[in-house]
Amino acid sequence: MAEAHGHDHAHPHQPDIEDAAPSHYQLMTEAVAGLLVEKGVFTADALRAMLEAIDAKSPADGARVVARAWADDAFRTRVLEDVNAAASELGIDAGSIPIRAVANAPGLHNLVVCTLCSCYPRLLIGLPPDWYKSRAYRSRAVREPRAVLREFGLELPTETVVRVHDSTADLRYLVLPERPAGSDSLDEDALAALVTRDCMIGTARPRAPA
Amino acid sequence: MTDRFRTGDRVRVRTAFPPGHVRTPFYVRGKTGDVVSVAGHYHDPEELAYGRRGAPALALYRVRFTQDELWGSGEAPGDDLVVDLYENWLEAGHG
Amino acid sequence: MRHLRRHHDMGGLDAGPVDHDHGGALAHDYAPWEKKVDAILRLLSSSGVMTVDELRRGIEELGPGIYDELSYYERWIASVTNILLEKGVIETDELGRRMAEIEAGWGHTP
């Protein structure tokens, strides 16, 4: 184990997270990556490029799609038909796994979970937050979504239907939130800034600046 | 290939508990819901999971259940839930 | 019926409060090695070496104890590695030797 040796090496250069004694699974990751490159399964360049592509993804891309949908009804229609195609109009490559938009409306609030693993529209909005992958969220979101939303600070009236989407299969879900009241004067960039990661999962709603 | 179900059909999820890899959550098994849409056709994940092709592709349905149906009583009367289910897990539902 | 529900299939079970990150304010970034696991899986998937379905099956087969003990990307690399071994893409001996080499050299490489 890493505890037995490896702690006492000198670190002449600036330490960072990679310098800490590696865990068993970190070693496994590095070894598997090295072997796969050596065997020609993929190249080191392809691995680097993929890491850059992963780093390049963030909720900001999804926010741009939502903001454009708020500003442009025709675009909104296309988002509801095919998020991947609509995103590509904005120069965003959301990959080939189909992403479906579920639109909030007066009296309807959508919430996304994956009870079986942690399916998430990561090719559009990046890697999921820790809580999305947690036992608590995955267990409870389907059965007591209102209690879960309350923990996030979102209290919904009982007249509003809460609709949970369990992403069990080949589709990924993106909540298309409602444009908040008081946002009429905002341009698209300012609108996008209101759309947080949680708004697109359904655990928050966008709010216009006071 | 013709899809067995259409939007609006009542469907019941099979009450089955195979030990292998499946994508039908435990909590919907034996429950009855409505087909919201046909979400496309996809290779069978139960086969793909073991390195096989999973052909022919199965119809995938978005099925809506009321929270009352799933849990006996939900937090609010209108609340519901949509799950994506493959055709091999569905049979015609009633009521 | 409890024995019929598989460990990863947790929808509807009781659990404690969701430890959310206040809209990302308390979020931590993934470690570089964790992102590397994600990158490896995506490359293996796009090149047809293994499917995401196999990844999931492998995670489920880790069993209840390990499933909860490991972190998210630890589960992933454990599953990916097992599946690559099963398929003969890599061999146990070379993997063990490579891990030992990397550990021995850790901190020595500039």
Side-chain angles (χ1 to χ4, degrees), chain A residues 58-68 90 92 124-125 174 192 195 200:
Chain A
S58 81
D61 282 350
R64 283 172 60 208
V65 172
V66 171
R68 174 65 59 89
L90 305 184
I92 299 166
L124 180 60
I125 62 174
L174 184 82
V195 185
M200 294 181 280

Side-chain angles (χ1 to χ4, degrees), chain A residues 78-94:
Chain A
R78 297 199 290 282
V79 167
L80 292 173
E81 281 164 6
D82 182 342
V83 173
N84 308 62
S88 73
E89 291 180 38
L90 305 184
I92 299 166
D93 177 3

